[in-house]
Amino acid sequence: LSMACALGEYQDRKLAKVIGKLMGTFDTEARGILTDSLTQTSQGHPEAVAALLVQKGSLQVVAITAALRRLGPTALPAVVDQLKVADARTNAVAYLVAAGKPSVPFLLPVLEDKDKDIRLSAADALGKIGAEEAVPALTKLYEGSSGDEKFGYLSALSGVGSPQSEGLLTKAVEDEANS
């Protein structure tokens, strides 16, 4: 417990990874202290803490997201950057959706990324947030894509539920019914 507490006193980005590994402990008290230490580390190195979103263990992910949440909106750019990491995408999208509307300005530029998986992750988050300001970009991406990618943008548009997408969504359903 002393070690867990002391880790947060050092502003070393490498310690974020150490803390992330230690968070797999079943000791509730130690996990709480490690979360506090990770929060302290995140203040100087939010990108190092966001990089921990690759963790698969629920205990670790809960603690990592708690530390990032305590950091507030300043964590959002670092979390959005994790959309580029395949193993972190699911946790990053979940975090961004939970953060809600403050995530939108950071997600919109990602819709222009060259990598379709990164674009689709941003689209997924924007749809789940209900970001109406994303509708024009999502519509453009929908119209310029095919297959699963097209379906991903359609899903995001339906998630937003904007009246301006009603015609597009109706047409998509009718086209599918006629196929």
Side-chain angles (χ1 to χ4, degrees):
L1 293 177
S2 296
M3 180 198 66
C5 189
L7 286 172
E9 295 176 17
Y10 301 94
Q11 281 300 311
D12 185 342
R13 66 184 331 271
K14 293 177 184 175
L15 284 178
K17 195 170 189 176
V18 172
I19 296 169
K21 287 181 190 245
L22 292 173
M23 280 204 219
T25 181
F26 288 109
D27 183 329
T28 307
E29 187 178 2
R31 236 185 6 263
I33 293 171
L34 287 165
T35 302
D36 293 341
S37 290
L38 193 60
T39 299
Q40 290 174 322
T41 302
S42 72
Q43 292 171 3
H45 305 285
E47 70 291 339
V49 176
L52 296 175
L53 290 169
V54 299
Q55 296 283 338
K56 301 295 182 206
S58 61
L59 295 175
Q60 291 99 326
V61 173
V62 167
I64 293 160
T65 57
L68 289 167
R69 206 173 296 115
R70 290 178 190 169
L71 189 55
T74 56
L76 293 172
V79 175
V80 168
D81 200 42
Q82 289 304 301
L83 295 176
K84 297 175 184 170
V85 181
D87 289 342
R89 276 189 201 125
T90 301
N91 291 333
V93 167
Y95 180 88
L96 295 164
V97 170
K101 291 285 185 187
S103 300
V104 173
F106 301 102
L107 285 165
L108 287 172
V110 180
L111 292 175
E112 298 174 11
D113 198 277
K114 293 178 184 179
D115 185 305
K116 78 170 179 137
D117 293 328
I118 296 169
R119 286 192 311 269
L120 285 168
S121 294
D124 180 39
L126 289 163
K128 289 175 179 173
I129 292 168
E132 193 148 343
E133 54 269 63
V135 169
L138 290 170
T139 301
K140 183 178 176 184
L141 287 165
Y142 169 79
E143 292 170 346
S145 61
S146 62
D148 288 344
E149 186 175 4
K150 188 172 192 106
F151 179 75
Y153 299 129
L154 182 65
S155 177
L157 285 164
S158 68
V160 172
S162 171
Q164 54 183 307
S165 299
E166 186 177 342
L168 181 142
L169 294 169
T170 302
K171 184 177 181 324
V173 169
E174 289 171 354
D175 288 349
E176 186 64 30
N178 293 329
S179 293

